[in-house]
Amino acid sequence: MPNETKSYLNFGIVGCGMIADIHAQALKSLAGVHLVGVADVSFAHAKSFAEKHGVFAYETYEKMLSDKTIDAICICTPSGFHAEQAKAALLAGKHTAVEKPIAMTVSDADSVIETAEKSGKLLSVISQLRFSEDVVRLKNAVLNESFGKIHFCNLSMKYWRDESYYSGSRWKGSRLLDGGILMNQGIHGIDLLRHVIGNATVISSVTDRLYHKIESPDTALALLRYDCGALGVLEATTAAFPGFDLKLEIIGEKGYAVFTEDHLTSFVIEGKEQPLASEAKSSGTASDPKAVGWKKHALQLRNFANAICGTAQLAVCGKDGREAVALIADVYKENM
């Protein structure tokens, strides 16, 4: 274990896949934060990742949790491991930021939240889209009733993942570890939907495997009714070649907005076009998950670190992650 005088808020990462690299870059960009080390089910993989980022490689996750210099853990493992690994980190006295989803079931999410409450440590679920400046604008417009009564809110996530995406992994596409289109690829959009508009009830839904030979669904459609009275359609798939950007549409009696990928592309209130940020290019994640950037992760992890230090309120808590899982469970429940 590293032996050093702690002058930073020290982080560890468990899981050394693609998303862990995003976390590592984000953490290394933050002042007052120190990425100490990493752990993975494969020690060889952990050592390779650690060498790349100039950090320590722990032989096991348990050894990382036993390191008293570690203040916080980022969980970047396959989805099906999140709940148990988050609880282990919290019980070890570590503040915990877990990649989406918080858990694969609502009951497991509740168990993680209960563990966090008992431990007295902070629990956050990665929901980096909330940190887009245009998401903040959109959320404020809803809170300020700028759209008037909202009639429709539709979310489209028509992504593409080729066969190698699933065949090259031992867990992607599985029911227990991946959970399918909504639990893996679509959960960020669902969190965004709930964050901006509020809770929704599933009126009807259907899931299917339209293209990929996997256990979990690659496609889901749902008709939603929001607590505000609006109706909406949720559509998500990884079978839409060549892949299309996430699109969130809000239509109300006084205006409308279209949010595409991570920025507003239309924003009209009472007939007046609102100013838009300079035109942004597609991130490319609709067809390539590796195209995701690290800067919004850095914003969320900055908030998480500040909340640990008591200088900010935690922006995304365990309950936020739990509610996204609950909506997904309701969509899937209709098709079990």
Side-chain angles (χ1 to χ4, degrees):
M1 295 182 185
N3 182 16
E4 58 180 271
T5 301
K6 187 169 76 171
S7 58
Y8 296 86
L9 192 62
N10 287 335
F11 275 72
I13 296 175
V14 59
C16 294
M18 181 270 292
I19 201 64
D21 198 63
I22 298 298
H23 279 247
Q25 293 179 71
L27 289 170
K28 289 163 66 177
S29 76
L30 301 177
V33 168
H34 182 201
L35 176 58
V36 172
V38 297
D40 190 87
V41 66
S42 165
F43 184 46
H45 195 181
K47 286 195 296 183
S48 175
F49 189 95
E51 289 174 3
K52 175 182 177 181
H53 291 284
V55 299
F56 183 80
Y58 295 86
E59 292 182 6
T60 65
Y61 181 42
E62 291 74 18
K63 288 190 176 182
M64 178 159 62
L65 293 184
S66 70
D67 185 347
K68 297 185 184 304
T69 70
I70 297 285
D71 301 295
I73 299 291
C74 289
I75 295 177
C76 299
T77 52
S79 302
F81 298 125
H82 289 180
E84 290 306 313
Q85 289 177 336
K87 288 193 290 185
L90 292 162
L91 291 172
K94 314 300 184 187
H95 301 284
T96 302
V98 57
E99 263 295 339
K100 53 76 182 171
I102 184 175
M104 299 296 284
T105 66
V106 175
S107 60
D108 281 348
D110 287 338
S111 180
V112 176
I113 293 168
E114 181 181 0
T115 302
E117 291 172 349
K118 289 181 178 178
S119 72
K121 299 300 177 180
L122 291 186
L123 168 67
S124 187
V125 181
I126 298 299
S127 306
Q128 77 274 9
L129 284 179
R130 293 187 182 206
F131 292 80
S132 161
E133 291 182 5
D134 277 354
V135 168
V136 175
R137 289 183 71 194
L138 198 55
K139 173 71 172 176
N140 287 336
V142 172
L143 290 175
N144 294 332
E145 300 182 348
S146 300
F147 299 109
K149 179 177 172 57
I150 296 174
H151 296 151
F152 300 101
C153 181
N154 300 323
L155 175 63
S156 175
M157 299 177 287
K158 295 177 181 175
Y159 302 146
W160 170 249
R161 299 292 184 265
D162 62 21
E163 280 299 308
S164 65
Y165 172 81
Y166 292 106
S167 63
S169 168
R170 290 180 293 178
W171 68 274
K172 289 175 182 172
S174 69
R175 186 173 296 275
L176 292 178
L177 296 182
D178 177 300
I181 173 61
L182 293 184
M183 197 67 80
N184 191 339
Q185 294 81 15
I187 194 168
H188 281 309
I190 287 173
D191 176 77
L192 176 65
L193 194 70
R194 291 196 64 267
H195 176 61
V196 172
I197 301 298
N199 293 327
T201 300
V202 177
I203 299 173
S204 62
S205 64
V206 60
T207 65
D208 206 342
R209 285 176 290 277
L210 295 183
Y211 180 77
H212 301 99
K213 296 178 176 63
I214 55 178
E215 289 182 347
S216 54
D218 67 7
T219 301
L221 300 174
L223 178 62
L224 306 175
R225 183 181 292 278
Y226 300 91
D227 286 359
C228 66
L231 291 172
V233 174
L234 163 66
E235 51 183 0
T237 185
T238 57
F241 181 82
F244 303 86
D245 288 340
L246 174 151
K247 182 177 288 187
L248 175 65
E249 300 174 305
I250 299 173
I251 302 173
E253 61 184 354
K254 294 182 180 180
Y256 63 90
V258 179
F259 179 85
T260 305
E261 189 68 8
D262 64 356
H263 60 283
L264 283 162
T265 50
S266 295
F267 192 17
V268 177
I269 302 296
E270 295 184 338
K272 297 180 180 179
E273 293 189 5
Q274 305 301 300
L276 300 175
S278 58
E279 185 176 352
K281 297 180 180 179
S282 170
S283 68
T285 55
S287 57
D288 180 10
K290 295 180 181 178
V292 64
W294 55 265
K295 291 186 178 180
K296 289 185 180 64
H297 277 74
L299 291 174
Q300 180 165 359
L301 290 171
R302 174 78 279 164
N303 168 261
F304 180 56
N306 287 345
I308 292 171
C309 296
T311 59
Q313 184 174 355
L314 188 65
V316 187
C317 66
K319 184 179 178 182
D320 295 316
R322 186 255 191 213
E323 294 307 315
V325 170
L327 182 56
I328 292 169
D330 284 345
V331 172
Y332 283 174
K333 182 171 61 178
E334 297 288 323
N335 304 278
M336 295 299 287

